Amino acid sequence: MYRYRWFFALICSLTTAAVSSAAPIKALIVDGQNNHDWKKTTPILKAILEETGLFAVDVATSPLKSTAGFAPKFSDFSVVISNYNGAEWPEETKSAFVEYVAKGGGFVAVHAADNSFPKWPEYNAMIGVGGWGGRNEKDGPYVRFRDSKIVRDEVKGNGGNHGAQHAFLVVIRDKEHPITKGLPESWLHAQDELYERLRGPAKNMTVLATAFADPKKGGSGENEPQLMVIDYEKGRVFHTTMGHAEPALKCVGFRATFARGCEWAATGKVTQKVPEDFPTADKVSSKP
């Protein structure tokens, strides 16, 4: 009996050691230009990932007024996170990024990252839908949740809008995806810009969660996509429209879905538990 106990204890210790010594997921955050305060938000995004104990995070910051010479080595990372909305990257950098995702690299677009590169077809295919930058019906449909299903709305109109910042209810539409599995069916997100009227190719895209853009807040009156995943050739893309500024990034709901989305984009799995302080349908939950 003693031998069996000793053997069991040995196996447990070896398993624990193997888990604890597992190589971290290498993540790269790209920033440097944005119409949002990337100097404040990038450190928060980096800390969110590092606090999980799963990621080793680097940051690639473009020049402030030009992207000449900006050439991150995307292939060194399992997931690239964009906190970028600025000038076009050099053609070589764009080609390297497309190749990286197409061959299986993970990509995560955060908030205004879906404003960027309106004329770059491959990028717009990766993010599914985007806004501003002259986007309109020629770039693809609006995507809405109506009558218990996702619909493509081909009506004419500009892409991209948001009303006044406010806390809003996020409703999970795909409960079985690894990113959203186990989350409450609906939860109150902290003050943020509720992106709406986004449009794009929306191909190979699954809407994980939506929010109602209340006309009283300047919204469209539609249930608009907030969390999405897109298959781009062999690559996995997670797109969150949330994350305007510090109040939004302190929301436990944002933090959990962002970290889970990054893990899924990198590995195809989510191992993180749902936080005990995850927001409910009637109560925001934020970190200090």
Side-chain angles (χ1 to χ4, degrees):
M1 182 63 71
Y2 174 78
R3 290 180 180 176
Y4 290 126
R5 288 178 180 173
W6 178 86
F7 181 73
F8 180 73
L10 176 63
I11 294 298
C12 287
S13 65
L14 290 174
T15 301
T16 301
V19 171
S20 62
S21 63
I25 298 167
K26 295 184 68 176
L28 177 70
I29 299 176
V30 178
D31 65 11
Q33 296 183 34
N34 204 318
N35 59 325
H36 293 63
D37 194 349
W38 59 268
K39 291 182 180 179
K40 287 186 177 179
T41 56
T42 287
I44 298 174
L45 295 173
K46 185 173 185 286
I48 292 170
L49 295 181
E50 290 174 338
E51 287 169 7
T52 67
L54 297 173
F55 297 88
V57 186
D58 287 345
V59 178
T61 300
S62 77
L64 293 178
K65 295 184 178 180
S66 169
T67 58
F70 183 62
K73 193 173 181 182
F74 302 115
S75 59
D76 284 349
F77 300 90
S78 296
V79 60
V80 173
I81 299 110
S82 178
N83 193 25
Y84 182 91
N85 176 26
E88 291 280 328
W89 293 343
E91 286 301 320
E92 315 86 75
T93 304
K94 291 167 66 174
S95 296
F97 184 67
V98 171
E99 182 180 11
Y100 162 77
V101 179
K103 288 186 175 180
F107 175 47
V108 174
V110 178
H111 196 57
D114 67 20
N115 299 186
S116 54
F117 308 130
K119 303 305 179 185
W120 182 4
E122 293 89 348
Y123 184 82
N124 286 280
M126 290 179 200
I127 63 173
V129 289
W132 296 274
R135 289 178 171 92
N136 58 32
E137 65 277 1
K138 295 179 182 179
D139 297 288
Y142 297 123
V143 176
R144 273 75 183 262
F145 187 82
R146 297 176 183 161
D147 301 323
S148 301
K149 63 181 183 293
I150 299 294
V151 299
R152 297 166 62 93
D153 189 343
E154 306 283 353
V155 66
K156 293 183 178 181
N158 291 334
N161 187 57
H162 63 78
Q165 293 185 47
H166 62 290
F168 53 84
L169 194 69
V170 176
V171 181
I172 303 299
R173 301 302 182 184
D174 187 332
K175 302 175 185 177
E176 295 304 314
H177 192 277
I179 296 173
T180 49
K181 193 166 187 176
L183 300 185
E185 184 174 342
S186 58
W187 50 276
L188 196 58
H189 178 43
Q191 176 183 306
D192 204 346
E193 292 177 339
L194 197 167
Y195 274 12
E196 55 173 80
R197 296 188 174 97
L198 302 181
R199 40 193 338 158
K203 294 180 180 178
N204 304 312
M205 184 176 86
T206 301
V207 176
L208 303 183
T210 64
F212 179 67
D214 192 339
K216 294 179 182 178
K217 299 290 186 180
S220 63
E222 298 275 1
N223 290 295
E224 302 274 3
Q226 301 300 303
L227 302 176
M228 295 150 273
V229 291
I230 303 94
D231 295 325
Y232 185 82
E233 297 192 23
K234 294 181 180 179
R236 290 176 295 271
V237 181
F238 172 62
H239 178 177
T240 175
T241 64
M242 298 179 272
H244 171 72
E246 289 181 78
L249 271 61
K250 288 181 178 180
C251 174
V252 175
F254 171 85
R255 298 169 76 90
T257 53
F258 170 67
R260 291 164 71 92
C262 288
E263 184 182 5
W264 174 82
T267 70
K269 302 181 293 183
V270 174
T271 62
Q272 301 165 60
K273 294 181 179 179
V274 178
E276 293 183 3
D277 57 348
F278 199 90
T280 63
D282 55 5
K283 186 178 180 181
V284 170
S285 177
S286 297
K287 294 293 186 183

